[in-house]
Amino acid sequence: MSRRSILKTAAAAGAVGVVPGLQSAVWAAGSDKPEIEEVKIGFIPLTDCASVVMASVLGFDKKYGVKIIPSKEASWAGVRDKLVNGDLHMAHALYGLIYGVHLGVGGPKKDMAVLMTLNNNGQAITLSKKLSDKGAVDGPSLAKLMQTDKREYTFAQTFPTGTHAMWLYYWLATYGINPMKDAKVITVPPPQMVANMRVGNMDGYCVGEPWGHRAIMDGIGITGVTTQDIWKDHPEKVLGTTGDFVKKYPNTARAVMMAILEASQWIDAGLQNKLKMADTIAAKSYVNTSADAINQRILGRYQNGLGKTWDDPNHMKFFNDGKVNFPYLSDGMWFLTQHKRWGLIKDHPDYLGVAKQINQVDLYKEAAAGLKISVPKEVMRTSKLIDGTVWDGKDPAKYADSFKIKA
C-alpha cells in the first residue's frame, strides 16, 4: 500500500484513528516527496498571518520536506496579481478574494483553490472618534446619526470581494444602511487604515487585527463591533493557491498544509505560545507594530476605546481542535451569496459546484489524517448571523435573494 493510499484510507476513516504504522514525522520520501521544496507564500501584515509565519520560524516546514518563504505584500490586489501570474506559490488570502478570482470578479479569471482555513474571528469595524463623539458607537446609533446629520459618510474595506467588505456591508445593512447608496465605500490596504483615519479620510473601516486595536491605542477610533459578533466563528483568511498548482504539486500542497496545521495547533496550545507568536510577528519584517497591539486581542482581552472592557471567548482562533481549518463548502458558498447580494456577480452561480471546485476537501483530509486531526463528518455547517438569519448552505439562491437591502 503506497503512503498516498494509506492516507486516503485514513482520511476516509474520518482521520480520527490513523492507519497503523503511519507516522507523520517521516514524510519527505518516496512517492510523497514534495515536488518543489521552496514555497513562496505571500502574506499581508495582519495578526492572522501568524500560522504561515510560525510554520517557517519554528521550522515545522522542514519536518515535511519543504521550506516556506514568507513574502510580505503591500495590498490584497498585489497578492491577487502575484498568485495569478505565479510570482507567489500560495498566499494568506481573503476567502472572497480566492472566490472572486475564480469567477473573474475583481480581477483576471483563473481557477483557484482554497487549501484550508487559517483562522476564525478576530476582525473588527472601527468607527472614528469624530463619530463616537457624536454618539455613534454601534450599529443602531450610527444609523441614527446618519439619518439626522446628513453628509457623505466614507467607510473603508480592504478588497472589493474580500471578507472585510462583506462584514462591513452586512453590518451596515443589518441597521438599515445601504452601503451602496447611503455611504461611500473605499478600498484601503490593511496597514494603511490607521494612518488614513488619523488624517480624516474615513468615518469607519473594517480590517483584521491588530489595526482595530491600534486605532484605540492611538486614540483615533473605537470598536463599533467585532466580526465574531456579526458571525460567531466565521471563516476569515485561507491558504489560497491556483488550481494549476494543486494539480501539478499535490505533495507540496499537502506538506505545506501539514506544516501550517502544526503551527496552528502550536499557537492555540496556550498562553506562552500566543505571547511568543505576538512577539515574533510584531517584528518589522512581518506586521511591523508593537507586540502589545497584538497580544491583548489574541488572548481575548478586548476594550472598545470608550472604557468598556471584556473577555471575548470567540477571539481569533487558529486551530480550535481542527474546527477552524476544515474548508467547509458552505463557508465558501456564503461569500458567493454576498457577492450576488451586492451585485458583484450578476446571476446566481452554481454555488455548490463552485465551492467543490475551489475547496480542496480531500487534500485537506489527507493532511489532517497525517497529523491525526479529526475532521467534521459534514462539508456544510450551520451558523446564525447578527441579523438573526441562519445560513446552512442548503438553498443559497433563496438566501441570497432574501435580503431586503441589496444592490
Side-chain angles (χ1 to χ4, degrees):
M1 217 176 168
S2 80
R3 218 189 235 108
R4 193 172 170 83
S5 50
I6 290 172
L7 275 174
K8 284 216 159 123
T9 314
V16 182
V18 166
V19 178
L22 176 69
Q23 295 301 322
S24 66
V26 205
W27 259 82
S31 62
D32 277 314
K33 191 175 188 312
E35 303 85 353
I36 52 172
E37 282 170 19
E38 287 205 344
V39 186
K40 195 174 176 187
I41 306 185
F43 72 91
I44 291 285
L46 290 160
T47 303
D48 51 32
C49 74
S51 54
V52 172
V53 171
M54 297 314 289
S56 161
V57 170
L58 298 172
F60 292 132
D61 50 354
K62 291 190 196 79
K63 268 172 82 168
Y64 305 103
V66 289
K67 181 175 163 56
I68 290 172
I69 299 164
S71 173
K72 185 171 174 173
E73 304 300 330
S75 69
W76 291 119
V79 168
R80 172 201 62 202
D81 296 345
K82 288 183 179 184
L83 270 179
V84 167
N85 68 26
D87 286 348
L88 292 171
H89 295 120
M90 299 178 185
H92 151 252
L94 297 162
Y95 218 128
L97 180 150
I98 300 296
Y99 270 67
V101 172
H102 191 87
L103 293 177
V105 183
K109 186 178 191 316
K110 192 170 178 79
D111 283 355
M112 298 300 283
V114 162
L115 298 173
M116 60 188 278
T117 305
L118 294 175
N119 67 296
N120 289 166
N121 309 327
Q123 323 293 297
I125 294 175
T126 298
L127 299 176
S128 72
K129 261 292 202 273
K130 197 166 87 177
L131 284 190
S132 69
D133 287 346
K134 289 187 171 181
V137 296
D138 56 14
S141 54
L142 173 66
K144 194 174 159 193
L145 181 69
M146 287 175 72
Q147 278 299 316
T148 54
D149 188 2
K150 299 270 191 206
R151 61 174 176 85
E152 184 175 70
Y153 286 79
T154 303
F155 296 95
Q157 39 78 12
T158 63
F159 189 78
T161 61
T163 51
H164 304 116
M166 299 308 118
W167 310 140
L168 177 66
Y169 298 170
Y170 202 98
W171 182 70
L172 290 171
T174 296
Y175 300 103
I177 303 162
N178 186 326
M180 303 296 153
K181 291 179 185 152
D182 304 333
K184 180 183 173 188
V185 178
I186 59 174
T187 303
V188 174
Q192 293 171 29
M193 287 292 190
V194 175
N196 273 279
M197 182 168 275
R198 190 178 285 115
V199 297
N201 286 347
M202 76 249 300
D203 294 289
Y205 61 72
C206 184
V207 74
E209 293 302 337
W211 308 120
H213 188 61
R214 186 82 245 179
I216 291 169
M217 287 173 73
D218 293 358
I220 60 161
I222 63 126
T223 294
V225 70
T226 65
T227 52
Q228 54 266 31
D229 280 344
I230 296 173
W231 173 356
K232 183 188 159 208
D233 294 337
H234 67 77
E236 186 48 47
K237 306 301 184 301
V238 293
L239 184 63
T241 184
T242 61
D244 291 343
F245 187 92
V246 179
K247 284 192 191 84
K248 226 167 152 180
Y249 310 118
N251 295 348
T252 307
R254 191 177 52 238
V256 171
M257 288 158 78
M258 290 178 79
I260 292 175
L261 273 169
E262 200 165 330
S264 305
Q265 263 177 318
W266 180 87
I267 293 167
D268 274 12
L271 177 73
Q272 290 317 115
N273 291 7
K274 286 185 174 137
L275 294 175
K276 183 179 174 183
M277 175 273 276
D279 283 342
T280 305
I281 68 166
K284 201 171 179 186
S285 49
Y286 303 118
V287 180
N288 191 21
T289 190
S290 55
D292 60 347
I294 298 170
N295 60 25
Q296 293 304 298
R297 287 191 171 185
I298 205 71
L299 299 172
R301 293 175 191 151
Y302 275 76
Q303 49 175 292
N304 70 349
L306 293 163
K308 182 188 168 198
T309 59
W310 70 98
D311 285 323
D312 192 334
N314 307 313
H315 56 80
M316 189 184 291
K317 296 196 171 94
F318 291 88
F319 182 65
N320 198 13
D321 297 326
K323 294 190 209 47
V324 168
N325 313 103
F326 186 77
Y328 289 98
L329 299 184
S330 55
D331 285 0
M333 290 162 66
W334 185 85
F335 289 102
L336 291 177
T337 68
Q338 299 306 299
H339 294 167
K340 174 68 176 74
R341 176 184 182 182
W342 301 117
L344 293 161
I345 46 181
K346 299 278 175 282
D347 304 306
H348 288 295
D350 172 3
Y351 291 95
L352 183 58
V354 171
K356 280 179 172 170
Q357 282 170 1
I358 298 174
N359 289 26
Q360 305 296 306
V361 173
D362 291 342
L363 195 59
Y364 176 83
K365 284 180 177 174
E366 289 179 23
L371 287 165
K372 305 185 182 182
I373 292 168
S374 60
V375 295
K377 289 186 175 64
E378 301 296 330
V379 292
M380 302 283 193
R381 62 179 179 141
T382 301
S383 309
K384 189 176 190 179
L385 277 74
I386 193 169
D387 57 356
T389 60
V390 172
W391 166 245
D392 57 14
K394 289 202 179 93
D395 194 342
K398 184 181 172 189
Y399 177 84
D401 288 340
S402 70
F403 295 97
K404 280 210 290 281
I405 294 180
K406 47 182 184 259

